[in-house]
C-alpha cells in the first residue's frame, strides 16, 4: 500500500512502484497471451461455390461391389449432373457444387468441413424395385456420405448412406492466386439404415443383404482446380421419383387377367 506521505514511506515508495510496474507488465503479457490463444483457437468457416469450376468427385465402385450388383441383377444409372466414366470398371463423375472449409489463423490451416454435389444422382434399379440417391454431401465431422434417398414410398433428405475413411487428407496447393484441392476417401460401407432401405426398396434376398453388409463399396476421389468447367451443370437440387413395382402376387394376377382378356378377345373374333 502506498501512503500519501512520501517522506514517511521513504524507499518503500520506490519498491511499491516497482511492484506495481511489474504487475502491469505481467498483466500485459497475460492479455497478449490470451489474445494469441484466442487467435490460435479461432477458425473461420468459409464456403466456396464451385459450380463453374473444374471441381469433381469420382465415385468408383469396387470389384466386390460390382460383383454383388451383378449377382443381384442390379444396374446403376447416372442421373442429373452425374455421368458415367469410360475406361473399364464402374465409375461416375459427380460435379462438386460447393465446399466448406475451416480456416485457422495461427498457425495457418485449412480443414474440410463438408462438400456438396447438388444436382447429381445415381439410380439403382432391379427387376423388383429401385431407388435413387441424389444431391450428395460429404460430412467430414462424422465421416459420412449423405444423399437424398428416394424410393417408391417417398424421399429421405440428407440420409446417411455410406461411412468412409479419409485415405488422403485435404491437399491444398497454391500456384500464385490459384487454389487446387485434392482428397481421397476409401472403405465406403453402407450404414445400417441404408442397408435396410436398400433391402426394402430393391427386394433383396436375405443372403444378399448379409453380403452387402460386409462389402467395401469403393472410393471417392475429390479434385478441385481453378480452371473453368467444360460443361454446364445445374446447381438446383435433383428431384427424383421411383415408380412402385407390383409385388409378385400382383404380377401373377395381372398376368392371369391379361390371359383372360386375350381369350375373350379371341372368342369374339371367332364369332
Amino acid at each position: 500500500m502506498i501512503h500519501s506521505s512520501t517522506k514517511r514511506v521513504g524507499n518503500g515508495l520506490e519498491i511499491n512502484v516497482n511492484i506495481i510496474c511489474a504487475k502491469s507488465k505481467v498483466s500485459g503479457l497475460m492479455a497478449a497471451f490470451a489474445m494469441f490463444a484466442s487467435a490460435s483457437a479461432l477458425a473461420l468457416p468459409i464456403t466456396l461455390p464451385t459450380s463453374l469450376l473444374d471441381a469433381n468427385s469420382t465415385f468408383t465402385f469396387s470389384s466386390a461391389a460390382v460383383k454383388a450388383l451383378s449377382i443381384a441383377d442390379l444396374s446403376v444409372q447416372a442421373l442429373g449432373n452425374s455421368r458415367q466414366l469410360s475406361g473399364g470398371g464402374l465409375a461416375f463423375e459427380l460435379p462438386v457444387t460447393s465446399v466448406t472449409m475451416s480456416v485457422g489463423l495461427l498457425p495457418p490451416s485449412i480443414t474440410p468441413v463438408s462438400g456438396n454435389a447438388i444436382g447429381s444422382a445415381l439410380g439403382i434399379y432391379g427387376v423388383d424395385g429401385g431407388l435413387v440417391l441424389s444431391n450428395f454431401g460429404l460430412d467430414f465431422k462424422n465421416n459420412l456420405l449423405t444423399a437424398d434417398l428416394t424410393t417408391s414410398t417417398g424421399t429421405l433428405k440428407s440420409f446417411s448412406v455410406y461411412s468412409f475413411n479419409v485415405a488422403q487428407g485435404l491437399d491444398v496447393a497454391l500456384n500464385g492466386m490459384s487454389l487446387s484441392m485434392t482428397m481421397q476417401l476409401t472403405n465406403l460401407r453402407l450404414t445400417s439404415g441404408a442397408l435396410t432401405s436398400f433391402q426394402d426398396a430393391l427386394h433383396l434376398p436375405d443372403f444378399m443383404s448379409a453380403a452387402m453388409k460386409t462389402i467395401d463399396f469403393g472410393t471417392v476421389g475429390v479434385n478441385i482446380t481453378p480452371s473453368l468447367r467444360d460443361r454446364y451443370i445445374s446447381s438446383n437440387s435433383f428431384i427424383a421419383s421411383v415408380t412402385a413395382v407390383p409385388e409378385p402376387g400382383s404380377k401373377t394376377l395381372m398376368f392371369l387377367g391379361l390371359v383372360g382378356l386375350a381369350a375373350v378377345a379371341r372368342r369374339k373374333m371367332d364369332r
Side-chain angles (χ1 to χ4, degrees):
M1 178 177 181
I2 300 175
H3 299 279
S4 58
S5 174
T6 57
K7 292 181 180 179
R8 183 182 302 175
V9 177
N11 292 335
L13 175 62
E14 182 180 354
I15 294 173
N16 286 337
V17 171
N18 288 338
I19 291 174
I20 292 173
C21 291
K23 287 182 176 179
S24 298
K25 290 180 180 179
V26 172
S27 298
L29 289 173
M30 292 180 64
F33 179 78
M35 291 178 63
F36 178 82
S38 298
S40 300
L42 181 62
L44 303 176
I46 297 178
T47 299
L48 302 176
T50 55
S51 296
L52 298 179
L53 299 180
D54 184 20
N56 296 298
S57 60
T58 302
F59 191 130
T60 304
F61 284 88
S62 66
S63 57
V66 172
K67 185 175 181 180
L69 292 169
S70 177
I71 293 174
D73 198 17
L74 299 175
S75 63
V76 183
Q77 297 180 15
L79 303 171
N81 293 334
S82 306
R83 63 180 177 183
Q84 185 169 356
L85 300 176
S86 58
L90 187 62
F92 296 87
E93 180 185 88
L94 312 175
V96 178
T97 53
S98 68
V99 292
T100 299
M101 299 173 293
S102 178
V103 180
L105 301 180
L106 295 172
S109 63
I110 298 179
T111 304
V113 176
S114 63
N116 293 293
I118 303 299
S120 293
L122 295 177
I124 304 176
Y125 304 105
V127 176
D128 297 322
L131 61 86
V132 175
L133 301 174
S134 60
N135 307 313
F136 295 90
L138 290 174
D139 175 1
F140 291 104
K141 182 178 180 180
N142 300 298
N143 282 14
L144 289 171
L145 186 153
T146 64
D148 295 346
L149 191 154
T150 301
T151 66
S152 60
T153 60
T155 298
L156 298 173
K157 295 286 187 179
S158 300
F159 189 78
S160 298
V161 182
Y162 295 103
S163 61
F164 61 78
N165 293 334
V166 179
Q168 175 191 326
L170 183 65
D171 184 14
V172 180
L174 283 173
N175 183 11
M177 295 300 292
S178 299
L179 180 67
S180 300
M181 292 179 281
T182 58
M183 175 175 281
Q184 187 72 17
L185 312 178
T186 60
N187 197 28
L188 270 66
R189 296 185 182 274
L190 285 173
T191 64
S192 57
L195 183 62
T196 300
S197 296
F198 275 48
Q199 183 177 17
D200 293 342
L202 301 171
H203 301 286
L204 299 175
D206 291 339
F207 79 89
M208 184 53 64
S209 296
M212 285 193 169
K213 186 177 181 180
T214 64
I215 290 177
D216 173 0
F217 271 78
T219 63
V220 173
V222 180
N223 186 33
I224 300 174
T225 72
S227 303
L228 293 179
R229 195 180 294 280
D230 61 358
R231 66 185 179 106
Y232 169 79
I233 65 166
S234 173
S235 57
N236 297 324
S237 295
F238 183 86
I239 308 300
S241 63
V242 175
T243 304
V245 177
E247 296 294 332
S250 301
K251 290 181 180 180
T252 302
L253 292 175
M254 188 181 299
F255 175 75
L256 293 175
L258 290 174
V259 171
L261 289 174
V264 171
R266 179 171 295 179
R267 288 180 183 175
K268 288 183 177 180
M269 291 178 62
D270 292 342
R271 291 178 184 178

